[in-house]
Amino acid sequence: MRKVLVIGYVWPEPRSSAAGSRMLELLGVFRGEGWHVTFASAAALSSHRADLSELQIEEVAVALNCDSFDGFVAQLQPDLVLFDRFFTEEQFAWRVERAWPTALRVLDTSDLHCLRDTRHALLKANQQACANETERYQVGPVQATPQVLYEVMADSDMAQREVAAIYRCDLTLMISSFEMALLQEHFGVPAALLHECALMLIPPTHNALPFAERQHFLSIGNFRHAPNWDAVLWLKHALWPLIRARLPQAQLHVYGAYPPPKATALHNPKQGFHVLGWVDDAHRVMAQARVCLAPLRFGAGIKGKLADAMACGTPSITTPIGSEGMHGELPWPGSVAADAHAFADAAVQFYQDEDRWAQAQQQGHVLLDSRFERGRLGEALIARLEELLMNREQHRRGNFIGAMLRHHQHKSTQYMSQWIAAKNAATTQKTEG
């Protein structure tokens, strides 16, 4: 039986974010193979976290900058260690390599953080030329080419850290075909170090509610995720006024985990703008809505909200950022718009046109079946991991840059961590004395 250690940046919250859903899917794939899975995290526990015991997954709380982690790994002797995002790799990978070097080291990026960060910076730069707040809200989504993105990203600290982490690992799971191409064509990352593993989604609901039994627009997303909060602001100040002017009775329901006071302050029933916050079952409200709005001006990865919309048979209006890496040559189940007026036009059209709406609903089912089929994606992932487990040494010999980066980068990380651990130990000893 294979033993897998997953080191989470946070405890998975599948009802709060797409990242949480993705993590639960990965854990389910491992357990489906009969593998023994241990999930460890240094994060604080949350009330919305998944009950991993239902999957017979052992939960272990670990500490940052503490040598006790080394003993834990040496005792567990995992075949594979999965790092949840690159910050976790930076904190723990050198300890894993020191304590149990034979373990396959796999990174799950969730999405490419440096890409999201760069697009956010470009959006802010585009807004700086605006004379006032009203004009800033009219700025559309970032549409920089891969070459421009690379030129901005190449000098950033986050890109250098994240790409270094990708090189240091035996394999990195990528969620988006766009990000796969960006890494290979512009950053020179070898294909042997990457594996495209999109969200492994629930199958579509083919008996979804029809047009006449649905009402309202819906927007959903964790408020702690910067692209989602920006989307709410763009909706409130630029998009919804355009839609509401043409559909005076329309209602928009905005859902999402962890809404801050500044978000709930936007709630205005007279304008049809309802900030409703946390919802226990996102699929239930998505399946009752007529149209999903996802006006993302920046971001990265694959958008769970749009995948959920397809699964629930709900057409979606989004931006090129939102649809990126999701549909390939297949038509989008709704509309992709690059500016405020085009977005509002599409939202109104799909809300009123039953034939276009029904066609989009069917296109969503086709897209899920074609590109996000859970069984096929899971089997491909397991096959790739088994291949690497069988040929680990040969694979590592072909990644000299990764070995070089581990030698240098991990030394500085290691010494800093050991200094903190020694300082903490001395403080504890002094307190007890």
Side-chain angles (χ1 to χ4, degrees), residues 32-192:
E33 290 297 303
W35 293 359
H36 179 276
V37 180
T38 301
F39 190 95
S41 180
L45 300 178
S46 70
S47 59
H48 299 316
R49 70 191 184 98
D51 183 1
L52 298 183
S53 64
E54 292 183 353
L55 292 173
Q56 297 180 311
I57 294 174
E58 180 185 8
E59 297 179 339
V60 177
V62 294
L64 296 173
N65 305 309
C66 184
D67 292 343
S68 62
F69 178 84
D70 303 41
F72 159 66
V73 173
Q75 183 176 9
L76 183 63
Q77 300 182 7
D79 298 287
L80 182 155
V81 177
L82 178 73
F83 303 102
D84 174 24
R85 287 165 268 200
F86 79 92
F87 344 103
T88 305
E89 188 276 343
E90 290 179 329
Q91 287 283 350
F92 292 103
W94 67 270
R95 289 186 176 276
V96 170
E97 184 173 9
R98 184 174 70 173
W100 198 248
T102 60
L104 197 69
R105 296 181 292 273
V106 180
L107 172 63
D108 182 37
T109 57
S110 186
D111 60 26
L112 203 58
H113 291 65
C114 56
L115 174 60
R116 185 205 317 151
D117 188 65
T118 293
R119 282 177 167 155
H120 196 182
L122 290 172
L123 175 62
K124 291 178 179 177
N126 292 340
Q127 292 174 318
Q128 283 180 351
C130 297
N132 52 56
E133 196 71 11
T134 300
E135 287 187 12
R136 280 191 283 274
Y137 284 125
Q138 299 304 318
V139 174
V142 173
Q143 298 189 69
T145 65
Q147 179 60 39
V148 171
L149 289 170
Y150 170 72
E151 290 172 359
V152 178
M153 294 166 70
D155 293 330
S156 76
D157 176 72
M158 182 174 290
Q160 293 182 13
R161 289 171 57 195
E162 191 164 21
V163 174
I166 290 170
Y167 268 104
R168 287 194 297 265
C169 287
D170 296 310
L171 187 70
T172 294
L173 308 183
M174 301 300 302
I175 203 169
S176 163
S177 56
F178 177 86
E179 294 173 8
M180 288 273 290
L182 182 67
L183 287 172
Q184 292 179 73
E185 296 170 13
H186 294 276
F187 288 91
V189 177

Side-chain angles (χ1 to χ4, degrees), residues 98-303:
R98 184 174 70 173
W100 198 248
T102 60
L104 197 69
R105 296 181 292 273
V106 180
L107 172 63
D108 182 37
T109 57
S110 186
D111 60 26
L112 203 58
H113 291 65
C114 56
L115 174 60
R116 185 205 317 151
D117 188 65
T118 293
R119 282 177 167 155
H120 196 182
L122 290 172
L123 175 62
K124 291 178 179 177
N126 292 340
Q127 292 174 318
Q128 283 180 351
C130 297
N132 52 56
E133 196 71 11
T134 300
E135 287 187 12
R136 280 191 283 274
Y137 284 125
Q138 299 304 318
V139 174
V142 173
Q143 298 189 69
T145 65
Q147 179 60 39
V148 171
L149 289 170
Y150 170 72
E151 290 172 359
V152 178
M153 294 166 70
D155 293 330
S156 76
D157 176 72
M158 182 174 290
Q160 293 182 13
R161 289 171 57 195
E162 191 164 21
V163 174
I166 290 170
Y167 268 104
R168 287 194 297 265
C169 287
D170 296 310
L171 187 70
T172 294
L173 308 183
M174 301 300 302
I175 203 169
S176 163
S177 56
F178 177 86
E179 294 173 8
M180 288 273 290
L182 182 67
L183 287 172
Q184 292 179 73
E185 296 170 13
H186 294 276
F187 288 91
V189 177
L193 298 182
L194 303 174
H195 178 77
E196 186 175 352
C197 184
L199 285 169
M200 291 167 281
L201 306 168
I202 65 170
T205 305
H206 290 285
N207 60 344
L209 289 176
F211 179 90
E213 296 181 31
R214 293 173 178 243
Q215 59 181 341
H216 308 319
F217 291 94
L218 173 145
S219 182
I220 191 167
N222 190 317
F223 284 91
R224 289 180 176 175
H225 191 54
N228 292 337
W229 172 235
D230 178 77
V232 171
L233 291 175
W234 199 33
L235 267 172
K236 174 69 175 181
H237 298 289
L239 303 175
W240 186 243
L242 295 174
I243 297 170
R244 181 82 166 179
R246 294 167 60 181
L247 298 173
Q249 302 305 314
Q251 307 268 326
L252 171 62
H253 293 174
V254 181
Y255 296 96
Y258 304 108
K262 62 183 179 181
T264 54
L266 300 178
H267 180 73
N268 191 326
K270 290 183 179 181
Q271 297 175 351
F273 197 91
H274 302 265
V275 180
L276 303 176
W278 166 264
V279 60
D280 188 63
D281 186 348
H283 277 231
R284 175 180 57 80
V285 294
M286 182 70 80
Q288 295 171 348
R290 185 173 291 179
V291 176
C292 171
L293 303 180
L296 296 158
R297 294 195 289 182
F298 70 97
I302 284 178
K303 315 307 179 294

Side-chain angles (χ1 to χ4, degrees), residues 341-379:
H341 288 279
F343 191 100
D345 288 345
V348 172
Q349 180 182 48
F350 278 89
Y351 197 82
Q352 295 180 314
D353 189 331
E354 184 172 357
D355 290 338
R356 287 289 304 276
W357 187 95
Q359 181 185 39
Q361 184 181 75
Q362 183 57 36
Q363 288 169 338
H365 293 161
V366 171
L367 181 52
L368 281 187
D369 288 338
S370 300
R371 292 176 63 90
F372 299 99
E373 200 276 311
R374 176 189 289 180
R376 175 180 56 82
L377 292 169
E379 290 174 5

